[in-house]
Amino acid sequence: MFSFLIRRIGLMFVILFLVSIMIFSLVNVLPGDPARLILGQEATPEALEALRVEMGLNDPLVVQYFHWISNLIQGDFGNSVKDNTAVADILIAKIPVTLQLTIMSFIIALLIALPAGIISATRKGTLWDYSGTFFALSGVSLPPFWLGILLIYIFAVTLGWLPPSGYVSMKEDFVRSLTLMILPAITIGIRLSAELTRMLRSSLLEVLHADYIRTGYAKGLLEGAVIFKHALKNALIPVITVSGLQMATFLGGAVITETIFAVPGIGQLIVKSILSRDFPVVQGAVMFMAFAVIIINFLVDIAYSILDPRIKLTGGTK
Amino acid sequence: MAQNLTVKNQEIQIQGKVENPRVKMFKTMMGRLFQNKLAVVGGIFTFLLIFMALFSQYIAPYEPTEQNYELIMSPPSADHWFGTDELGRDIFSRVIYGAKVSLQAGLISVGIALAVGIPIGLISGYYRGFWDEYVIMRITDAMLAFPPLVLALSLAAVLGAGLKNAMIAIGIVLTPNFIRLIRAEVLAHREREYVEAGRATGLRDWRILLHHILPNTMAPIMVQATLAIAGAIISEASLSYLGLGTQPPTPSWGSMLAAGQGYLELAPWMALFPGVFIFLTVMSINLFGDGIRDMLDPKLK
Amino acid sequence: MTTTQLEVKNLHVGFKSKKGFTTILNGVDFTVKKGETLCIVGESGCGKSLTSLSIMGLLPKTGQISEGQILFNGEDLSTKNQKEMSKIRGKEISMIFQEPMTSLNPVQTVGKQIEEVVRIHQKVGKKEAREKAIDMLRLVGIPAPEKRIDNYPHEMSGGMRQRVMIAMALTCNPKLLIADEPTTALDVTIQAQILELMDRLKTELDMSIMMITHDLGVVSEIADRVLVMYAGKVVEYSDVKTLFKKPKHPYTQGLIESIPKLNEEQDELPIIKGSVPSPENMPKGCRFSTRCKFAAPACFEKLPELVGEEGHKVSCWMYTDEWEKMTNHGGEAGNVSQRETTAAAAAAAAPTGS
Amino acid sequence: MLAKEKQQQQQQQQQPLLEVKGLKKYFSTGGTGFLNKNKKYVKAVDDLSFYVNEGETLGIVGESGCGKSTMGRAILQLQKPTEGQVLFQGKDISKFNAKQIRELRKDIQIIFQDPFGSLNQRMTVGSMLSEIVRVHKIVPKKEELKYIQQLLQDVGLNPEHYWRYPHEFSGGQRQRISIARALAVQPKLIVCDEAVSALDVSVQAQVLNLLQKLKNDYHLTYIFISHDLSVVKHISDRVGVMYLGKMMELSNKHMMYENPLHPYTKALFSAIPEVTTEGKKQRVILKGDVPSPLDIPTGCCFHTRCPLATDKCKMEMPEFREAEKGHFVACHYAGV
Amino acid sequence: NDASTGSKETKTSGSKTKLESKDTLVIGLDDDPPQLDPHMSSAAVDRQTFQSLYNKLVDVDENLDIIPELAKEWKITDEGKTYTFKLQENVVFHDGTPFNAEAVKFNFERMLDPDMGSPRKSEIASVSEVNVKGDYEIEIKLKEPYAPFLAALTDRAGMMVSPTAVKESGKDFANKPVGTGPYQLEERVTQSHINLTRFEDYWREEPKIKKIVIKPFSDADVRVTNLVSGDLDIINKVAYKDLEDLRNNENITLLEKDSLMFQGIQLNTKVAPFDNKKVRQALNYAIDREAITKVVFHGGAVPAISAFPSSSWASPDMEVPKVDVEKAKALLKESGVGKVSFTLKITPKPEEQQIAQMLQSMLKAADIDMEIEMVEFGTLLEQQDNGEFTALRLGWSGRTDPDGNIYSWFYTDAPLNKSFYSDAKVDELLTNARINSDQEERAKLYKEVSEILFEDAPYIFLYHEKDYKAMKKNVKGFNHISDTMIRTETMYFE
Ligand SMILES: Nc1ncnc2c1ncn2[C@@H]1O[C@H](COP(=O)(O)OP(=O)(O)OP(=O)(O)O)[C@@H](O)[C@H]1O
Ligand SMILES: Nc1ncnc2c1ncn2[C@@H]1O[C@H](COP(=O)(O)OP(=O)(O)OP(=O)(O)O)[C@@H](O)[C@H]1O
Ligand SMILES: [Mg+2]
Ligand SMILES: [Mg+2]
């Protein structure tokens, strides 16, 4: 177990290092001069040059990289080019927003996916199953931004039940915060639940064919007990792993959803800062997201080994 | 060893008519495909879309870029089935032309991912070792740690807006998934007895890889590829939606949606129809993909 | 007091599919007496497992008992619903399966899995259940059961897992234990352990065993009576000694002959030619007719009944009075004398112990 | 029978077709990580030595996981042996380079257990066989079809099976295809790794007869791996018994079955359920399970289950010695 | 340069608008102000916040005439080379330090300090000396006469920051602004809000509203929604498509004012095909400006022919030419270029795309092939700098003094003259207009320049956008001036 953790953490750092190099090189080959962007249309060449020197844009890339990474290790993400605030502060302000969105979407997704998955797997070949599958397929096929627009059109524009977009923090106004977040959470949640339903269904179907399920019946358990006591846990293990691995995709979905619903989270921050070439923010935010994905995968791995006693945490690679 | 050849020299008799095995295989696969009704529907729709994309200039009633300031944002009518947009262009015609962009985006970006992913995945999985474990796998890990849309967005921004670059960006983003999938498949298959048997009969590695392992891993690859095509269509639309995909005036469903979003109340049809088409396209490709999964699964009769 | 524990009468089981209903078990009859071990043998796919699953009411969703009765203590199990069956399963009738590796829930300790059986069928507390589980593990010969009870299945060897399965099955003192190839996946040395264990427990717990296997060696080792199945039909039904001394059905004969013998030198093994027909193109008549060396033309047309005295029944035209008539109509081979010789040859082939 | 033995003796004086000396195959577990200090080894095959003469069948029996398949693979160089020599016709093939090994494939072939997994599902029987024939240039191209169809007939299939896919065959037929594949290059030695284990008895008998017949027709030599003692005895000339990667006993099959020396062999024989009409036989039931190959017991690896084990057995590894002429055994007490 | 379009709600009729008198005014801006230091600021949106935080030396009124603010009065002497300001007394900064001539001197030196890299430096580049003449009198000397100087002081260059605070905070001043304005900073959370509270020691009449909250909503639809049914009281910039709705909303006041900006296409006169004057002229006639203002702007913009919108006193009375495809074709023929094709670079905003697509189809009618290429704003600027373009869509936010709208765009080698246009006559006229401080004479000079520029067409003027402010009906006291600033000082709730 211990050597597994060491190894796994070591691996994590390797990946993080690669991620940081990728982010850095990506950002630095982005066309567009941030100094030009800051100073705008009227900048004089001298002012531009001064700013470039100040921002270290004239240093060799390797120097810039090590500068960035060594600061990063010390927790200094640098400052936004646009408004000079610390990227770390910006991120801290955004994290609760994205977190709230994430949690709400997850809850919605689970509320849909668990029953849908179980019903369509246990009632395979019935109308229930077909509707579940159809739902899952539609959810996966809906472009997230269109779904968002559609929801706005239906619930905000036509029915006027919910506000179309915006964000208020939970502290400020709890109820309003939830009502504002509900449409974006549904947008992400539906897609997520579609994928979870799909996974849960196929995983359950597989598990339901397993010998130990038959053993459960042979013991005298009824169907419900077999499904909930024996099948579900086994079926959820791969679902958790796969959804952990899909975390990145999921966060990616948040990017566009946040943009549509003007939710000031990390996703929107990334889109905006990429488009405005705010390099330090892009680097910091993307690094943070990648870090979150890596950590989540790590946790999922550990959860996996807890859920599944067969997985011994030895140093083997997947 | 020549004596073995002449051990016996009976007449070889072939009873009955022999059907070409590939034709037969094809027939049974088609049979399996046609059992899945939804897949057939998906396949037909996909086919229609391809048809639409190929012959858009004959199908579309108007030029997709033809502007008519008298008819700005007019609702669907007999003249303009899907209404007109903010420049008075016929949305129906634009949707038809948009199919070209979307299908192209889906196919080419997945093509790129396959072209890069298959060889790397095959070699990496078959030979294992340092390069596999410490270079290729870790790089794919790192790439997979990025939210795909963020990566696509950054890449598209780096490469510059435009359909070509968007396709490259999406292709790059898809690649690690394929590398992983193919590698995992190869890892599973290289331990299989038929591969071992291949090696035991003295086949060269490339022959085993290309003639034995690759065809056997084709089923999951095909399934993943169709799903990826569906995903790539959405990604291209997303990038276009964010302004990094197809450039105006080329009609693309994503950018049409982006434009339409601003006029949701005034002209909901502007966002509705391109969205419906993305949905239907992705849906039918997914359905078709499911069908292919069935088709390639020899366990199903 | 009757001596019959289980009686299966004219059991027909099949599967629904798009193409219609395929009957796989086609009129299976047998009884299991109290305290005896009945072995069902036959090659893969002949319907052994299907028979046992029908008794347990555990047929897959597409499977269906289309005809016949399964009488357990006089009650017809085939008419019971799932809820009623669940009261019988694990309590009155238990079952263990072929794959000890996969028949236990991998994410629960073996203790939990045994306790569960206790708690389904008996109103006992957690602690008692656990104690019972430990007792059961001890009974099946697992060393240090107090420790082993908290193991996960994967922490045990195949033999141990099969012991756990047996412990689980026997927890509620069932009247009948159905064992579907319980030792096939095990090594010979472990198989010997398990067979011995089952034999011991049968007398200790006073139950009947219905054991499914395809290994004739195991049959002769453990069975009191034997049911030989071929393609969903019973072909021979006899007590074990008689069967191996004097197998009647050509299939049984062939089966016994085709096993390589340890104490005998054979240059070539006698074989049964061909292979089992698939359910879709079952011969109309005797199902073995396509592979039988004695088959008369009529064998292909008419299905033989299971006939013979109590204690040794066989389903073959050769042992009916009609055989004469059938061969007279131009059968290529076979008359009474010939069938005697075959039987004799088979008897000779049968081993005489070591 | 006598003539055959004589012939064998003559051959023994000649060079054996295959000779294995001190063969070892260890697998390291726990990945290849640099952070892994306490690497453990699965000693799947540990110091095996034996020979096979031309034209004979050497049977290898042992319980699951004792390293039979690993041995087979190591002989074929499908997995590089960790240590030891494999001499084929006097040449050490474990030192061969890739090209030489490809050449070697014409001489040594293998048949696997799994009739489902060992055939490429996506190739017709014909294309599979012709690929091999072409790669090794066995016959000119125009004779190829005829050659392969002949081969199919030889293994009891129909020529038109040339155009079929593996999934259209039954288990027994597939095993025949595997046999045809092995035969296609006209090898001298075939390793049959549990070639009949997955088959039903009636089909097993068919395949065993076929193997016997082919051996004579094609002048083959077999290494026949199985866990079924009766099958091994039926087909082999000599038999080796393996336990935890080591050879416990090796001898002519008659000597072995009539007078097993090693306590493990004895237990193994007595554990086989046999079709008898007499009462149940007296049996030695071994206690416990086979130890994990990850930590093999010290001394004699069988001492944990051996009814005769003494302290010496715990400490000292018995030597694999020739207790009688041609009868090798690895036990301190056997046959002394 | 924000490509996010976001959602919209313009369903104004049914929604409830809260109309209550409050002590907090919530402003919805079109972007998050990057920073709060006027001397370092480069984003236009910053200026909105500055109106509340700082005072300027001078201000403009509705007619764009200069009026006193921190400077009570001023004299221009020495042929326009010396400006002497009398300052308000009793003015204190938010940190309690007094505002005086020393502070003004400090401010000028700060802006002119080459190490600061202040974007203001170029605006007051003509300053040669700043002399304190007394506690409340300061003299500023220019290198040469520069008529637009005062106008520059109505904006960021005229905003006075506290020297003490600057010395204390250094670079961090951008986050801890200290001015003399009616409101002082209470809290700022980037991308979320800026809270200001009334400055109790303010030198003028105490503002009626206690608190100002400034929130960024880059999405125009969200902004409108939040005004109509949310907490916003006034918003900056309204999407043109919403004009109609807002105008009809009885709870909303929609204010319209000609702004100072101009928009058009910058042509690179150094490369083909626009090195040919006739081709450039052809564009002027091939484009239907009227259609653009109608289709894209729903009347929220007016066709342009010069750099000066009608709000400017320099606006020439020239008639915008009607679209004349024949004339355009004729000009092309004269040019002898043959097939004209070029690429227009635009930023990826929906409106830009719409304009570009319209231009494309208009030019097509005149046999000109135009390709559209979208590039990010930063890239566009960079490519503009390097002359890597044939045509690009870039306008100007406008300056109070007409000089600011034209000199740097068309004077030979001026910083924004990326058309690489050079005309001796234009240079001369522009210089004269700078020196001359008589408005009427200057207006004549600018008219002459405008005519030449139309003829030479280095830049195709397309339209002047109007500025819109929408606010709740109960918000009063807002003074809509063409510089588009929200001056909070005088605002109140009814
Ligand atoms: N779910 C199912 N649907 C359709 N046919 C089935 C199903 N399960 C089993 N069968 C068929 O029923 C027949 C009998 O199966 P069964 O499992 O009883 O055989 P068996 O005698 O136990 O064989 P084995 O020795 O391989 O376990 C087989 O031909 C099989 O193909
Ligand atoms: N590639 C490998 N990596 C690690 N361990 C292996 C590998 N291959 C085999 N082993 C281990 O080596 C031991 C011997 O395996 P092998 O397959 O040779 O046994 P076997 O005698 O053929 O068993 P069976 O009868 O089950 O086929 C087993 O414990 C197995 O787990
Ligand atoms: Mg079975
Ligand atoms: Mg093996």
Side-chain angles (χ1 to χ4, degrees), chain A residues 1 3 29 57 62 78 103 115 127 143 191-192 238 253 258 272 297:
Chain A
M1 173 79 190
S3 84
V29 290
L57 291 176
V62 184
I103 292 172
L127 195 64
R191 193 188 166 81
L192 191 65
E258 286 182 353
K272 277 193 172 176
N297 280 341

Side-chain angles (χ1 to χ4, degrees), chain D residues 28-189:
Chain D
S28 67
T29 59
T32 48
F34 42 87
L35 282 163
N36 242 350
K37 280 185 217 88
N38 49 348
K39 261 189 211 171
K40 278 190 169 176
Y41 290 97
V42 175
K43 299 185 177 178
V45 168
D46 201 7
D47 206 4
L48 283 186
S49 300
F50 59 87
Y51 62 88
V52 190
N53 287 323
E54 190 156 352
E56 76 169 344
T57 300
L58 174 69
I60 302 282
V61 278
E63 289 176 277
S64 166
C66 71
K68 308 180 296 287
S69 302
T70 309
M71 178 201 78
R73 293 197 172 92
I75 289 174
L76 266 100
Q77 306 299 313
L78 286 171
Q79 279 169 340
K80 275 273 164 222
T82 312
E83 229 177 82
Q85 291 178 309
V86 180
L87 302 171
F88 183 76
Q89 295 181 323
K91 277 177 258 159
D92 185 358
I93 59 174
S94 62
K95 307 261 178 335
F96 274 16
N97 62 24
K99 187 162 172 278
Q100 286 172 306
I101 284 181
R102 269 202 303 280
E103 283 298 303
L104 180 75
R105 302 288 183 227
K106 270 204 259 189
D107 293 332
I108 312 182
Q109 275 297 320
I110 185 163
I111 302 168
F112 291 104
Q113 165 176 14
D114 184 1
F116 294 87
S118 58
L119 298 176
N120 185 346
Q121 299 291 315
R122 310 239 165 244
M123 264 188 171
T124 57
V125 171
S127 54
M128 187 158 57
L129 293 175
S130 59
E131 180 180 40
I132 299 163
V133 170
R134 236 171 270 168
V135 163
H136 290 287
K137 303 190 183 67
I138 308 288
V139 290
K141 199 148 189 179
K142 56 182 193 314
E143 287 175 36
E144 200 181 276
L145 180 68
K146 194 166 168 239
Y147 173 77
I148 290 167
Q149 291 185 334
Q150 174 76 57
L151 202 61
L152 289 175
Q153 268 185 356
D154 282 358
V155 298
L157 296 169
N158 294 331
E160 67 261 27
H161 289 158
Y162 184 95
W163 290 279
R164 297 256 200 103
Y165 283 95
H167 68 88
E168 298 171 76
F169 293 94
S170 71
Q173 286 175 312
R174 287 187 214 203
Q175 217 52 328
R176 288 170 195 265
I177 299 170
S178 296
I179 293 170
R181 175 173 59 193
L183 283 180
V185 295
Q186 306 178 356
K188 298 196 176 72
L189 173 69

Side-chain angles (χ1 to χ4, degrees), chain E residues 298-363:
Chain E
H298 304 261
V302 289
I305 188 169
S306 77
F308 310 113
S310 57
S311 57
S312 169
W313 47 258
S315 178
D317 71 34
M318 291 160 67
E319 202 179 323
V320 179
K322 287 267 160 313
V323 55
D324 189 345
V325 176
E326 289 319 309
K327 183 159 185 187
K329 281 186 178 162
L331 281 165
L332 278 184
K333 208 164 186 189
E334 279 173 44
S335 77
V337 171
K339 188 80 194 150
V340 175
S341 62
F342 71 99
T343 302
L344 177 72
K345 294 190 174 181
I346 63 170
T347 53
K349 282 189 222 162
E351 275 154 14
E352 289 294 323
Q353 292 183 29
Q354 223 175 324
I355 294 169
Q357 293 180 57
M358 290 184 76
L359 288 173
Q360 190 173 43
S361 88
M362 289 166 182
L363 293 180

Side-chain angles (χ1 to χ4, degrees), chain A residues 214, chain C residues 43-50 52-53 98 180-181 212 214:
Chain A
R214 209 173 39 178
Chain C
E43 287 179 288
S44 181
C46 69
K48 306 183 296 290
S49 301
L50 217 52
S52 59
L53 292 177
Q98 173 170 4
D180 189 352
E181 314 218 15
I212 292 169
H214 60 248

Side-chain angles (χ1 to χ4, degrees), chain A residues 31-34 36-48 50 52 54 82-85 89-90 93-94 152 156-158 160 162-168 172 176 259-262 264 268-269 271-272 274-277, chain E residues 1-9 11 31-35 42-43 117-123 156 171 175 188-191 215 218-219 222 225-226 230-231 376-379 381-382 384-385 394-397 399 409 415-416:
Chain A
D33 176 1
R36 197 70 177 83
L37 257 165
I38 303 174
L39 296 183
Q41 235 172 322
E42 5 174 353
T44 57
E46 303 85 61
L48 275 175
R52 283 197 194 111
E54 192 202 307
K82 194 171 151 217
D83 53 18
N84 207 38
T85 37
D89 291 344
I90 301 180
K94 305 279 175 192
I152 292 175
V157 177
T158 311
L162 289 165
S165 60
Y167 171 77
V168 171
E172 217 171 304
R176 190 167 165 75
T259 310
I260 299 166
F261 288 95
Q268 198 198 28
L269 177 76
V271 174
K272 277 193 172 176
I274 286 179
L275 294 180
S276 67
R277 302 294 183 270
Chain E
N1 55 341
D2 186 336
S4 68
T5 36
S7 65
K8 68 153 267 150
E9 159 154 323
K11 192 163 186 92
D31 207 345
D32 189 38
Q35 59 151 313
S42 55
S118 164
R120 302 288 84 74
K121 195 171 163 231
S122 57
E123 294 168 24
R156 286 172 287 196
K171 285 213 80 131
N175 298 318
R188 167 167 179 249
V189 176
T190 37
Q191 299 288 333
K215 290 184 167 178
S218 52
D219 189 303
V222 182
T225 313
N226 276 291
D231 315 318
E376 292 309 321
F377 186 58
T379 318
L381 290 182
E382 207 174 295
Q384 185 199 30
D385 271 354
L394 204 60
W396 186 238
S397 60
R399 293 292 179 270
W409 279 82
L416 297 174

Side-chain angles (χ1 to χ4, degrees), chain D residues 52 56-58 189-190 192 211 214-215 220-224:
Chain D
V52 190
E56 76 169 344
T57 300
L58 174 69
L189 173 69
I190 297 183
C192 306
L211 284 172
L214 291 171
K215 182 180 159 183
L220 296 168
T221 304
Y222 289 139
I223 294 181
F224 194 91

Side-chain angles (χ1 to χ4, degrees), chain C residues 71-123:
Chain C
L71 298 171
F72 179 75
N73 284 343
E75 288 173 275
D76 189 357
L77 299 184
S78 64
T79 58
K80 288 194 183 307
N81 63 24
Q82 287 294 314
K83 197 153 179 207
E84 290 161 340
M85 276 313 289
S86 74
K87 298 224 172 68
I88 293 170
R89 286 184 212 131
K91 189 161 181 242
E92 308 281 336
I93 310 177
S94 281
M95 185 161 180
I96 54 180
F97 300 101
Q98 173 170 4
E99 282 291 333
M101 303 294 161
T102 54
S103 293
L104 290 167
N105 186 345
V107 302
Q108 250 183 17
T109 61
V110 296
K112 281 260 160 52
Q113 299 185 51
I114 300 176
E115 284 162 36
E116 193 178 23
V117 189
V118 184
R119 303 193 58 188
I120 299 168
H121 297 293
Q122 297 166 6
K123 292 222 162 15

